[in-house]
Amino acid sequence: MKLLTHNMLTSKCMKGVTVGYPLKINAFDVKVSEVDFNPEFVSRIIPKLDWNVLYNAAESIGQVEDMPKSIVDDYENNTDFLKKVHRVLLEVEVINGELVCPETGRKFPISNGIPNMLLNEDEV
Amino acid sequence: MELAENIIQKRPEGLSSPSKKKQRKYQHTLTKQTGAKCTIFPTKHIGICNSGLVNGLSEEVVYEHFSKYGKIEQILMLPGKSCCFVSFDDIKCSTKAFNNINGVLNIAQYLKPVFLSFVENIPESLIEANLKHDSDPPNGLIILENFITDSEERAFLALNDFNRLGSSLKHRQVKHYGYEFKYDINNVDLNCPLEEKIPKECDILWERLRIAYPQLIFVEPDQLTVNCYKPGQGIPSHVDTHSAFEDPIFILSLGSAIVMDFKNDNGDHHSLLIPQKSFVIMSGESRYAYTHGITPRKLDILQTKAGLTVFHRAIRVSFTFRKVRNGKCCCKFHSKCDSYLRTHEKSYTAFGQLAERVEETHVHKVYENIAQHFSETRHKPWPNVVDFIKSFETGSLLVDVGCGNGKYMNCGQNIFQIGLDTSISLLNVCREKQYQVLLGNCLRIPLLDNVADGAISIAVIHHLSTEERRFSAIRELLRILKAGGRVLVYVWAKEQKHRNEKSSYLKQDRKNRRCEENEAVSNEKLTLVDGVEIPIHTNRTQFKHQDVLVPWKLKKNSGKSLNTGTDESQTFLRYYHVFKEGELENMCAQFNSKLLHSYYDQGNWCVILEKK
Ligand SMILES: [Zn+2]
């Protein structure tokens, strides 16, 4: 699970959960692998993100490095900044761990990079 | 037309070389798809290489743009193909059309330019296949031309003032006499007759009919529905509810001619011109076994061996006369008979509580078991799905709901794709290629509202076993989309023969023995619980039922790495709800979304919706 994916994930489909966002991450294995950098792609993704959620997620798994706490001005032309965001969004990946619903504490396991978001009959 | 002028931009000085390369590629595809020989020398025949029915190009649009350059002899649209042909009366016109349109006119999908090629001629076999559905009316349909005079027509039209009518459907204005036809239940309420009976001015019709057609047995109708269609309006394909009305049904057409399409379960398709002032008798097979409908458009193009005739529609008013039925229908056309289906097929309402169990056993578990074999046989992406994915710009977020082994997960360019599936085995295949995937159910997508630019649902919704669940699945897809986001949905069609063309699913039966109707079709059924049975479908045949179990045979040894514990060949039954023509569209019409495109492709009904 990349942090870009995490930025959109919610547990709100569960019975009794109203927002279910953001999901807390307990990471057991984190992999960082190189992904081709495309500045245009990253620039266009940034306005679609919940930046605070991204930053806190990166911080919680110890992968924030020197990415700024807020989006810099004129980021489209700031290759250095875009590269840092690129790394956090696309290169960092939680392979094993769990996601935790902020309202109920329900844990969703992550294994082989796949979050298991299936719900039991009594949870829907 | 103003629109057309805006679309045609200035023609560049000679095509740039990437365009030339593209053009050669398209010409090659045209030849491969149709067998037509491309030539650089002008001929009367032009092939549109990169757009056809599956891309949403219609005969009407082709006519509108090409007829500006001269008299068109023929337009040939090919079902299931992304190309088509236009023939002119002479080479001067075709050359003019070619020079003005090629690579410039943006009428291909996603407003891209069309690429043309002259062809030596149009293969005869294609022309014949296309003519088949235009010829004779279906059994039981009789068109009596000039049934009324001009002054009688005026008198009938004067009976209704449509500007004053209150009741209006989305597509047309309607008024009922005798009994009200209720569109929500598709029936009349016998206990609530209307005050207004059929106007006595209509009586002349019955006397005249007895003289014109003495052998016809009929009871005078007691229900009349008057419809008013403006040019561009139509009515979806439907069968008049068997249990609601007797046989025959009569239609009087006023104001304008129109083309009506008749289709049956065998894929027979008749496009018939219903002339102004004509009286149609719809009886027997044409009343019971055929759907009829009017395509919403402003002009009708009729193609016969004699050539091409175009009818511009005017306001048409139709009087549909029916005799209300008391009791059940006893016809022999079971697949379209609500009376038969109600008594003979177990109601699937009992299915409601079973839905999750059916899907667990006959969808999710089956995919787990056949995952490896399934993945090995499902690697060729469908071109129109790929085109849809490629239409998203850099930085878009696209969700593949029901991604399976991920065959569409790397089709996009510079977009971010997330896949969702219920099969962990198939998702593990995705992970080998580093795709971003989630284990989850399409009825509860674990993503925020209004977050995705696009979504696809390819061959997924037909695995849901109640209408309510299928409806919810589309609502879920729209929920995760941003306003203006688009979703593409493919579901398996009940009609595996469309416009006389067999789908590849039927064609794959090499021996072709079982393709013909009623031959060697199994009557096997599987009992789920007491009283609820699902028929088992015979592979590579037309579907007889909408809710079926489709066998998947896992051959010896192909399952060796799976935990089946045995080495023998095993058959797994997958549950499907195959969709009838119009069913998916009707379902989608209930959402706050715009239907951008709907088509038939690879044996599937397909729609593209845009969230409002
Ligand atoms: Zn019937």
Side-chain angles (χ1 to χ4, degrees), chain B residues 422-475:
Chain B
T422 54
S423 164
I424 189 67
S425 308
L426 289 171
L427 292 180
N428 282 327
V429 176
C430 291
R431 287 301 296 161
E432 286 166 19
K433 297 163 207 155
Q434 316 297 322
Y435 301 150
Q436 277 300 288
V437 289
L438 308 168
L439 183 62
N441 192 295
C442 66
L443 293 172
R444 288 171 290 275
I445 304 173
L447 297 173
L448 296 172
D449 301 353
N450 311 311
V451 76
D453 299 289
I456 61 173
S457 164
I458 308 301
V460 175
I461 291 170
H462 54 214
H463 282 314
L464 296 168
S465 59
T466 65
E467 188 175 359
E468 194 191 345
R469 290 165 76 80
R470 295 187 284 273
F471 186 84
S472 303
I474 295 173
R475 191 177 49 210

Side-chain angles (χ1 to χ4, degrees), chain B residues 64 147 157 165-166 180 183 186 247 276 290 308 325 346 384 453 466 489 491 495 533 547 592 596 603 612:
Chain B
E64 180 190 332
F147 196 72
L157 284 169
L165 284 184
E180 186 179 356
Y183 292 92
N186 266 323
D247 175 16
Q276 185 179 353
Y290 277 83
L308 181 140
R325 192 192 290 272
K346 289 283 184 272
N384 290 303
D453 299 289
T466 65
V489 180
V491 291
E495 300 83 359
E533 300 175 320
D547 293 280
N592 188 26
L596 294 181
K612 280 186 188 162

